[in-house]
Amino acid sequence: MNFATLQYAVFLLLVVVTYWAIPRRAGRYLLIGASLFFYASWNVLYVPGFVVLILANWTLGLLAARPGRARLAVALAVLLDLGLLAVVKYLDWTLGGTSGLLAWVMGTSNTWQPLGIILPLAISFVTFTQIAYVVDIARGGPPERHLGRYALFVSFFPHLIAGPIMRAHEFLPQVRHPRPFSVQFARLAMPLLVGGLLKKTIGDTLAPTVDLAFGDPAALGTLALWIGVVAFAFQVLLDFSGYTDMALGSAWLMGFQLPPNFDWPYRSTSVGEFWRRWHMTLSRWLRDYLYIPLGGNRKGRGRTYLNLLLTMVLGGVWHGAGITFVIWGAWQGAGLAVNRWWTESVRPRGVPGLPTLVAWAATFVFTLVGWVFFRAPSLGDATDYIRRMFIPHGLTDLHGISPIIPLLLGLLIVGQWPGWVALAHRLLPAGSMGR
């Protein structure tokens, strides 16, 4: 059941009206049932497994609160949740890669046939949500002893498709003490729902351009390839943030506030700022449950840079199975490491920062190169695409890609800056690469 459909609109309306018409305690179980129905609308066969996963992690949360059992509970949660994620998301890729390697070593043909495992809805978001819950309890947080409240926290349907990744301390208090009905909820929800749908619609219109550019980059000129990757950059932003806005709006209709996830990241003037604006709940999850446990910045600069690289590589793998996602994560990790080196080692020596416009352009181009790895079907395709981007050839060979697209997307970039006219007067002063 896609957010941008009439089917979802009818479903949401029925749930909201019924939720406010019945007692609050019954409303909690209504939302659990509605969430399981929403989950079943994608694949009913995975509903029993989803329920078992919720029960298992709730039990592990109770175990983590017992003296001397925290480490065991965390280990079991990581083994269960990441183990399941690895099977459904990465088994095909791993077995296929292993089969290909063995065929190459033995000089035979690779006859591997993919298993065709269908990904359960929201498996990545559910995995991170539940691991964070058990880890937070192991660190001293309170467990949720009421199974119904915990089940609603994990299964709440607005956040299932595209997040945000929720924390227990953000959502569970709202379940324990639900807000009374207020017309204000609709006033908060409607701009998010309408704006999210508009974003999704605009993002969908960019899909043909993106498919054409990445489908056969060798047939296109340099300008067309730049248009293609810029179109993809906005396609993924508008699609992802549109879904998130609709999730936040859906939740507000029932009186629940979800954390924001995007803050117009393409206005960033450094890689660090980009990751404070892009998929913010994922960024803080990677920081709190990977980067800091790896040592963070507590073990010297070299180890800090390595931790940033490892964290983002794992973040890349979380996004998808394939070497291109690994490279995308490594690219982002290297950018964060250079950003930190600039901030801590170069700027303190009195080196002036780049002008704001130059810093923004460098950050945006860096991001675009990363998106090539993210979107390209193979590493070879990605490197060929990037080579053709930076080595000019056939500048006017658009082959069906409209030159109006960069103009429209440029207006979107400019429109991200409140008071952008005032910004124009600040382009000459130096900006900070270390924001």
Side-chain angles (χ1 to χ4, degrees), residues 326-348:
V326 175
I327 299 299
W328 176 79
W331 178 257
Q332 296 295 333
L336 288 171
V338 170
N339 190 170
R340 195 174 189 95
W341 166 77
W342 178 276
T343 303
E344 295 180 343
S345 301
V346 178
R347 289 302 303 278

Side-chain angles (χ1 to χ4, degrees), residues 20-95:
W20 290 115
I22 62 179
R24 292 283 66 75
R25 178 174 296 184
R28 178 196 310 153
Y29 296 103
L30 167 74
L31 293 182
I32 294 173
S35 297
L36 293 178
F37 177 82
F38 180 85
Y39 198 92
S41 72
W42 291 85
N43 194 327
V44 68
L45 297 178
Y46 283 137
V47 172
F50 185 42
V51 173
V52 169
L53 200 62
I54 291 173
L55 286 169
N57 280 276
W58 176 70
T59 304
L60 290 173
L62 298 178
L63 178 65
R66 297 177 60 180
R69 300 299 178 90
R71 289 186 177 181
L72 174 62
V74 170
L76 291 174
V78 170
L79 181 64
L80 171 66
D81 296 316
L82 289 187
L84 177 62
L85 181 64
V87 169
V88 300
K89 196 169 185 177
Y90 305 109
L91 183 61
D92 248 344
W93 176 52
T94 303
L95 293 178

Side-chain angles (χ1 to χ4, degrees), residues 267-313:
R267 73 170 70 168
S268 303
T269 56
S270 74
V271 182
E273 183 185 357
F274 175 83
W275 280 100
R276 289 191 292 274
R277 294 177 177 273
W278 176 272
H279 207 333
M280 294 182 286
T281 57
L282 172 63
S283 295
R284 66 179 184 175
W285 197 99
L286 293 173
R287 178 197 65 200
D288 294 345
Y289 303 103
L290 278 179
Y291 176 69
I292 292 177
L294 285 171
N297 57 359
R298 303 187 303 273
K299 299 184 178 181
R301 290 181 180 176
R303 180 64 180 272
T304 297
Y305 304 150
L306 178 61
N307 290 340
L308 287 170
L309 184 63
L310 290 175
T311 297
M312 296 310 297
V313 166

Side-chain angles (χ1 to χ4, degrees), residues 217 324 327 369 372-373 376 378-391:
T324 53
I327 299 299
V369 172
V372 174
F373 288 108
S378 70
L379 182 58
D381 290 326
T383 54
D384 186 54
Y385 195 109
I386 293 170
R387 178 178 61 82
R388 292 173 178 274
M389 282 173 61
F390 289 98
I391 300 178

Side-chain angles (χ1 to χ4, degrees), residues 73-134:
V74 170
L76 291 174
V78 170
L79 181 64
L80 171 66
D81 296 316
L82 289 187
L84 177 62
L85 181 64
V87 169
V88 300
K89 196 169 185 177
Y90 305 109
L91 183 61
D92 248 344
W93 176 52
T94 303
L95 293 178
T98 302
S99 176
L101 178 62
L102 290 176
W104 178 75
V105 171
M106 300 176 66
T108 59
S109 60
N110 183 8
T111 58
W112 166 256
Q113 296 295 324
L115 300 177
I117 299 175
I118 300 175
L119 282 179
L121 175 66
I123 183 63
S124 297
F125 293 107
V126 169
T127 295
F128 275 18
T129 296
Q130 299 203 104
I131 288 177
Y133 169 75
V134 177

Side-chain angles (χ1 to χ4, degrees), residues 96-373:
T98 302
S99 176
L101 178 62
L102 290 176
W104 178 75
V105 171
M106 300 176 66
T108 59
S109 60
N110 183 8
T111 58
W112 166 256
Q113 296 295 324
L115 300 177
I117 299 175
I118 300 175
L119 282 179
L121 175 66
I123 183 63
S124 297
F125 293 107
V126 169
T127 295
F128 275 18
T129 296
Q130 299 203 104
I131 288 177
Y133 169 75
V134 177
V135 170
D136 286 345
I137 295 173
R139 292 173 175 175
E144 176 51 67
R145 300 189 180 278
H146 192 285
L147 176 58
R149 288 195 289 259
Y150 178 77
L152 180 56
F153 159 61
V154 177
S155 67
F156 189 49
F157 67 87
H159 85 110
L160 283 180
I161 292 183
I165 301 172
M166 295 195 299
R167 302 284 185 90
H169 71 270
E170 295 172 331
F171 190 77
L172 284 172
Q174 301 182 71
V175 180
R176 298 188 192 102
H177 308 288
R179 295 178 172 91
F181 174 79
S182 172
V183 178
Q184 183 67 17
F185 296 151
R187 294 174 180 170
L188 292 168
M190 294 314 296
L192 289 165
L193 289 168
V194 174
L197 181 60
L198 180 61
K199 285 183 181 180
K200 182 70 174 64
T201 303
I202 296 174
D204 288 345
T205 63
L206 296 174
T209 295
V210 174
D211 293 342
L212 181 60
F214 283 88
D216 188 12
L220 301 176
T222 297
L223 177 59
L225 295 180
W226 277 98
I227 294 174
V229 71
V230 170
F232 176 68
F234 277 91
Q235 180 193 22
V236 70
L237 170 64
L238 294 171
D239 187 82
F240 209 167
S241 66
Y243 271 125
T244 300
D245 287 349
M246 297 181 75
L248 269 62
S250 299
W252 265 125
L253 288 177
M254 292 165 278
F256 293 96
Q257 182 178 8
L258 304 185
N261 221 15
F262 292 89
D263 183 18
W264 291 111
Y266 295 145
R267 73 170 70 168
S268 303
T269 56
S270 74
V271 182
E273 183 185 357
F274 175 83
W275 280 100
R276 289 191 292 274
R277 294 177 177 273
W278 176 272
H279 207 333
M280 294 182 286
T281 57
L282 172 63
S283 295
R284 66 179 184 175
W285 197 99
L286 293 173
R287 178 197 65 200
D288 294 345
Y289 303 103
L290 278 179
Y291 176 69
I292 292 177
L294 285 171
N297 57 359
R298 303 187 303 273
K299 299 184 178 181
R301 290 181 180 176
R303 180 64 180 272
T304 297
Y305 304 150
L306 178 61
N307 290 340
L308 287 170
L309 184 63
L310 290 175
T311 297
M312 296 310 297
V313 166
L314 292 172
V317 172
W318 177 81
H319 278 85
I323 188 62
T324 53
F325 292 102
V326 175
I327 299 299
W328 176 79
W331 178 257
Q332 296 295 333
L336 288 171
V338 170
N339 190 170
R340 195 174 189 95
W341 166 77
W342 178 276
T343 303
E344 295 180 343
S345 301
V346 178
R347 289 302 303 278
R349 298 176 183 173
V351 177
L354 296 177
T356 302
L357 183 60
V358 176
W360 167 80
T363 303
F364 190 55
V365 170
F366 175 90
T367 305
L368 293 179
V369 172
W371 283 137
V372 174
F373 288 108

Side-chain angles (χ1 to χ4, degrees), residues 371-417:
W371 283 137
V372 174
F373 288 108
F374 195 94
R375 176 60 175 79
S378 70
L379 182 58
D381 290 326
T383 54
D384 186 54
Y385 195 109
I386 293 170
R387 178 178 61 82
R388 292 173 178 274
M389 282 173 61
F390 289 98
I391 300 178
H393 70 287
L395 291 178
T396 60
D397 295 337
L398 297 179
H399 291 283
I401 291 184
S402 173
I404 196 75
I405 289 177
L407 174 62
L408 296 176
L409 298 181
L411 292 174
L412 270 177
I413 294 174
V414 172
Q416 293 173 34
W417 273 296

